Amino acid sequence: KYAIADSITGQNIVAPRTVPVASGTPTGGMRVFVLGTRFIIVFTNVIGGGSHLQYVAISSTTPAIVGPNTDIAPAYVSSSSLSWDAVISGNFLYIAYNTTSGGQSVEVTYLSTSLIVATPTTFAGRKATLMSVTSDLFAPSAPRIYVSFYDSASHNGFTAAVSNNLSVVLAPTATITGTVVVNLTSTAYNGICNFYYEVTNAYSYDSAIATNFIETNTITVAGVVGTSAVSLRDVGLASKAFLIDSTSYYAAIQSSA
C-alpha cells in the first residue's frame, strides 16, 4: 500500500491504498522516489509466476492521477534482502537489479522524467542478493553512478560504476570477499565510493546471541580498493547511507536480549 501526506500538516492527501496494478500481485520490495513532478513507486510484481521489477508514477500536483504498472525489468530475480536499488541523479532515476534475462547478470538502467526506460548496461555473469546504488554529484554535469552488490551464495561483493549515459566507467571490482553480509549501503563523493555493510556475528560465549557489526571500505573510480575497517560494533544498518556536505551518515539499530 501507499499513502500521500501533506509535508506541513501531516494530514493524508491520499489515504492508504493498494498500489494499483492491471495484472499481477505486488509482493513487496517497495521504495519511493521523486522524479520531476512525479512520485515513482518501484516494487516487485509477480505476473504469471515470474517476478517483474515495475513502477507506477503518481502526479505530485494531482495525486489522484496514477499511471499504469510498467516494467523496468521483466525477468527480475527478487530477493528477501532486496536485490535492486535506485538513486535520483538530475532528471533520471538510475536503477540496478539482478536478472536472468539473457543469462544471469546485474543490469543498470534509468527512468527519465518522460518515463522512458533506457536500454540497460549489463554486467554479465554477476549476481546480486543485496544491492546499493549511489551517485557522485561532485561534478553535477557528469555524475557517476556507483553500483555495489553482494551475492549471499558466494559471500562476495563487487562495485561497478557507469556514467550518466550508462557507459561503463568501472567494471565490477571485488570489494568484499568471503564475508557473510546481511545489509549493504553506500555514498559517493569526488571519485570515491564509501560502502558500508552489516556483517553477521555472534558472541563467542553464546552463538545464539547476535552481535553484528558494520564494516566500511572505499573504492575509487579508478578501481583502487581501500582497507576495510569496523565502523560500529553491536549494531545493524537501519537506513540507506546519505551525504551531508561531503560527510557520510547512516542510521544504526541496536537490540539487547
Side-chain angles (χ1 to χ4, degrees), residues 2 9 31 39 47 51-52 87 95 108 151 156 192 220 224 257:
Y2 74 96
T9 67
R31 286 178 173 169
F39 298 111
I47 303 174
S51 293
H52 294 234
V87 68
I95 310 143
V108 191
D151 174 21
N156 294 329
I192 299 174
T220 70
V224 178

Side-chain angles (χ1 to χ4, degrees), residues 224-245:
V224 178
V225 181
T227 302
S228 63
V230 174
S231 175
L232 202 59
R233 291 191 177 277
D234 200 27
V235 297
L237 280 169
S239 75
K240 297 179 71 171
F242 56 94
L243 286 175
I244 298 179
D245 295 325

Side-chain angles (χ1 to χ4, degrees), residues 1 18-21 23-30 43-47 54 69:
K1 293 186 176 182
T18 301
V19 174
V21 294
S23 61
T25 304
T27 59
M30 188 178 299
F43 58 97
T44 302
N45 192 15
V46 177
I47 303 174
Q54 295 196 318
N69 55 300

Side-chain angles (χ1 to χ4, degrees), residues 20-206:
V21 294
S23 61
T25 304
T27 59
M30 188 178 299
R31 286 178 173 169
V32 183
F33 306 87
V34 178
L35 180 62
T37 59
R38 296 181 177 95
F39 298 111
I40 305 294
I41 302 176
V42 182
F43 58 97
T44 302
N45 192 15
V46 177
I47 303 174
S51 293
H52 294 234
L53 188 61
Q54 295 196 318
Y55 75 91
V56 294
I58 302 173
S59 170
S60 61
T61 56
T62 313
I65 299 176
V66 182
N69 55 300
T70 305
D71 272 344
I72 296 169
Y76 159 68
V77 181
S78 62
S79 165
S80 60
S81 52
L82 210 58
S83 54
W84 73 271
D85 194 20
V87 68
I88 294 287
S89 183
N91 293 319
F92 301 94
L93 175 63
Y94 290 88
I95 310 143
Y97 51 87
N98 187 47
T99 182
T100 54
S101 178
Q104 176 62 56
S105 64
V106 167
E107 292 189 337
V108 191
T109 186
Y110 64 70
L111 178 69
S112 70
T113 52
S114 301
L115 302 183
I116 295 172
V117 178
T119 300
T121 290
T122 301
F123 297 116
R126 304 298 181 177
K127 184 178 181 180
T129 52
L130 292 171
M131 185 78 72
S132 178
V133 180
T134 191
S135 177
D136 184 349
L137 296 176
F138 182 76
S141 62
R144 293 188 176 100
I145 311 302
Y146 288 83
V147 178
S148 298
F149 55 93
Y150 172 85
D151 174 21
S152 61
S154 67
H155 297 163
N156 294 329
F158 298 83
T159 295
V162 297
S163 66
N164 59 332
N165 63 7
L166 301 180
S167 298
V168 176
V169 175
L170 173 66
T173 302
T175 51
I176 302 171
T177 304
T179 304
V180 180
V181 172
V182 292
N183 280 305
L184 174 66
T185 188
S186 59
T187 62
Y189 185 76
N190 195 16
I192 299 174
C193 176
N194 293 273
F195 53 96
Y196 306 87
Y197 49 100
E198 181 183 343
V199 179
T200 297
N201 191 45
Y203 285 106
S204 58
Y205 60 84
D206 190 339

